[in-house]
Amino acid sequence: MSEKFDAIIAKKDEAAQFMVDEITHICKDMPKRDPGSDGERIACEYMAEQMKGYGCEKVEVESFKENPGAFYGWIHITFTLAFLAVICFFQDIQILAIIFIILALLLALLEFGMYKKVVDFIFPEKTGTNVTAIKSCKGEVKRRIFFNGHPDAAWEWPANYLGGGVLFEGLIIVAAAGVIGYLVLAIMALCNGLTEGLVTTGKWFFLFFPFWIYMFFMWNRNRIVDGANDNLSGCYMGIAILKYMKEQGIELENTEVGVILSGSEEAGLRGAKAWCEAHKGEFQDVPTFIYSYDTIHDPKYLLTNYRDLNATVKADKDVSDLFMEAAAELNIGCKAGMVPPLGGATDNAAFAQGGFRSTGITGLNHKLESYYHTRRDSYDNMDLKGLGDCFAVSVRVLDKFDEGAKQ
């Protein structure tokens, strides 16, 4: 292993403070960074300029079109269809009730379960921002590594203040159970007629209505959180590596080092999907690994996600294993895991689906805590040890990856 990289690892605490200082600056001095906003673009342009100063000869700020309102807006459509289905059920129009509920559930599966663009065209179009920065190597390119984070921030989830992810996900599960319950009743009524017992049961199911109504207000469209942990922490993981490589005078012989800032992750991985489309067929000349970081906070939850997108997408095993090996060498705790069902996704899922070799690195409890997508996700609630540990492991990953280029 390189002594210069060891010297960088020894500065992990200093690097963590650098990250917090820069994240504080963006949160305090720049506009809010909702997907497709001026704030997202301004933050991207600021970080792009930093990376030019840290030795990236190729820095491209890229724009893409998106409809960010669709990622939560589908919920309004789904539960409107559910209410229409209930009306049809009591009017004994069971075929229509079943169709409405199937459409409602299918929309939920495609828009959230698979992050597909189904109803995006209904919502206003905005312009998102990505950044691709590459530090060239001195000789022939034999390997390439990207560190990735998303610069945008989320809409506020009010329920998380009270019970974190347990309450947030619990409310969604109860609401979904009510929709499925009416589907069962409608099928039974279609087969056997609308009996008095089914009508009575259907009225008892009115108890699900408050949960359905809650779904229309699940997120606060008028407040964007700071997104310090989620996910400026991920953006600055790669930027910090570039900074300390510059300070140590490290110029790699055969390995390109890059950073991808993929905007609008909170709108359904839209920036990462756009990046994959824009760079389709590129970076296939040599082994290229992408490490996608999301919410690097608590060191005891440092995790390599071998599956992503509600556990439906596989990460690259070699890319994932390398991170685990690097953590073990440094005696830094890192577990192998996955983004679970109802856990959403990291941008790794889009890269993997786009044919790139990638994995997702997270530093949060997947049983979400009260700072996730709330005002508590701010610059004064960051974990220096969590940032420093992840930084150290990432530097070792780069060191080990570059060693492979010399063989």
Side-chain angles (χ1 to χ4, degrees):
M1 298 294 103
S2 166
E3 291 183 2
K4 287 188 176 181
F5 280 119
D6 287 341
I8 293 179
I9 291 171
K11 292 179 177 288
K12 68 173 188 172
D13 294 339
E14 180 184 315
Q17 189 60 58
F18 160 74
M19 289 186 245
V20 171
D21 290 344
E22 287 297 322
I23 290 167
T24 299
H25 170 52
I26 291 176
C27 291
K28 291 179 71 174
D29 302 328
M30 296 184 192
K32 295 294 185 180
R33 307 181 317 283
D34 45 312
S37 67
D38 287 340
E40 179 185 73
R41 175 183 54 79
I42 289 168
C44 281
E45 290 173 348
Y46 173 75
M47 289 184 277
E49 286 301 314
Q50 282 187 301
M51 290 187 284
K52 288 179 183 178
Y54 295 149
C56 290
E57 300 87 354
K58 306 172 187 176
V59 180
E60 185 176 3
V61 178
E62 307 163 290
S63 63
F64 59 92
K65 297 300 181 181
E66 60 172 326
N67 311 81
F71 189 63
Y72 290 111
W74 67 266
I75 298 173
H76 289 174
I77 301 172
T78 284
F79 284 92
T80 297
L81 289 170
F83 277 116
L84 290 173
V86 172
I87 294 172
C88 292
F89 170 77
F90 284 107
Q91 293 297 317
D92 203 13
I93 314 174
Q94 306 307 333
I95 287 291
L96 201 51
I98 292 169
I99 290 173
F100 281 152
I101 293 177
I102 289 175
L103 287 175
L105 294 173
L106 185 62
L107 183 56
L109 174 65
L110 293 174
E111 279 283 355
F112 176 71
M114 303 175 68
Y115 283 38
K116 297 292 186 181
K117 301 177 183 179
V118 181
V119 294
D120 288 46
F121 65 95
I122 298 174
F123 296 86
E125 185 177 83
K126 293 188 177 184
T127 301
T129 307
N130 290 336
V131 177
T132 306
I134 300 175
K135 177 180 174 60
S136 301
C137 54
K138 295 187 294 183
E140 177 188 359
V141 180
K142 296 183 179 179
R143 289 195 169 196
R144 181 182 299 109
I145 188 168
F146 283 111
F147 301 103
N148 161 251
H150 71 82
D152 60 305
W155 294 273
E156 182 182 45
W157 289 0
N160 273 14
Y161 290 107
L162 301 176
V166 174
L167 176 63
F168 179 80
E169 293 177 1
L171 292 169
I172 296 172
I173 291 170
V174 173
V179 176
I180 295 170
Y182 272 110
L183 175 61
V184 173
L185 292 181
I187 293 172
M188 293 173 66
L190 181 66
C191 295
N192 303 310
L194 186 60
T195 65
E196 184 177 342
L198 290 176
V199 170
T200 300
T201 303
K203 290 178 178 179
W204 273 107
F205 279 14
F206 289 171
L207 293 172
F208 287 106
F209 285 5
F211 297 92
W212 292 8
I213 293 170
Y214 158 77
M215 294 301 296
F216 285 86
F217 305 95
M218 185 192 80
W219 72 104
N220 181 358
R221 287 164 284 181
N222 298 315
R223 183 180 292 278
I224 305 299
V225 305
D226 281 348
N229 294 284
D230 183 18
N231 184 38
L232 289 177
S233 66
C235 296
Y236 271 93
M237 200 58 59
I239 294 173
I241 290 172
L242 291 172
K243 176 185 187 299
Y244 284 91
M245 286 181 68
K246 175 80 169 178
E247 290 184 359
Q248 290 294 318
I250 296 178
E251 299 290 338
L252 301 181
E253 185 67 33
N254 303 113
T255 301
E256 287 188 337
V257 182
V259 170
I260 301 167
L261 305 180
S262 43
S264 302
E265 188 268 358
E266 302 294 358
L269 315 184
R270 295 312 189 234
K273 287 176 179 286
W275 189 91
C276 290
E277 292 174 7
H279 296 277
K280 186 176 181 180
E282 296 182 38
F283 309 122
Q284 306 298 318
D285 52 333
V286 296
T288 299
F289 284 8
I290 301 176
Y291 287 90
S292 186
Y293 300 89
D294 204 322
T295 316
I296 306 304
H297 182 71
D298 194 329
K300 68 175 177 289
Y301 291 117
L302 185 60
L303 191 74
T304 304
N305 294 274
Y306 281 74
R307 298 192 71 88
D308 212 316
L309 187 52
N310 300 302
T312 63
V313 173
K314 282 186 178 181
D316 186 281
K317 187 176 185 302
D318 291 339
V319 181
S320 303
D321 286 348
L322 182 59
F323 197 89
M324 295 294 292
E325 292 166 8
E329 285 186 11
L330 295 176
N331 199 29
I332 290 175
C334 182
K335 297 178 182 177
M338 65 178 180
V339 180
L342 294 182
T346 74
D347 278 328
N348 158 63
F351 294 127
Q353 289 176 323
F356 294 91
R357 302 184 68 182
S358 66
T359 194
I361 307 300
T362 53
L364 78 163
N365 184 356
H366 280 313
K367 295 179 181 178
L368 304 176
E369 298 179 14
S370 65
Y371 71 87
Y372 188 75
H373 287 195
T374 69
R375 280 167 277 177
R376 294 170 184 163
D377 183 10
S378 191
Y379 53 86
D380 56 358
N381 182 28
M382 304 196 74
D383 193 303
L384 288 169
K385 179 171 172 50
L387 291 168
D389 283 356
C390 187
F391 172 81
V393 176
S394 302
V395 172
R396 179 62 81 214
V397 164
L398 173 56
D399 191 5
K400 290 170 68 65
F401 186 72
D402 180 56
E403 283 294 321
K406 299 173 184 177
Q407 296 175 3

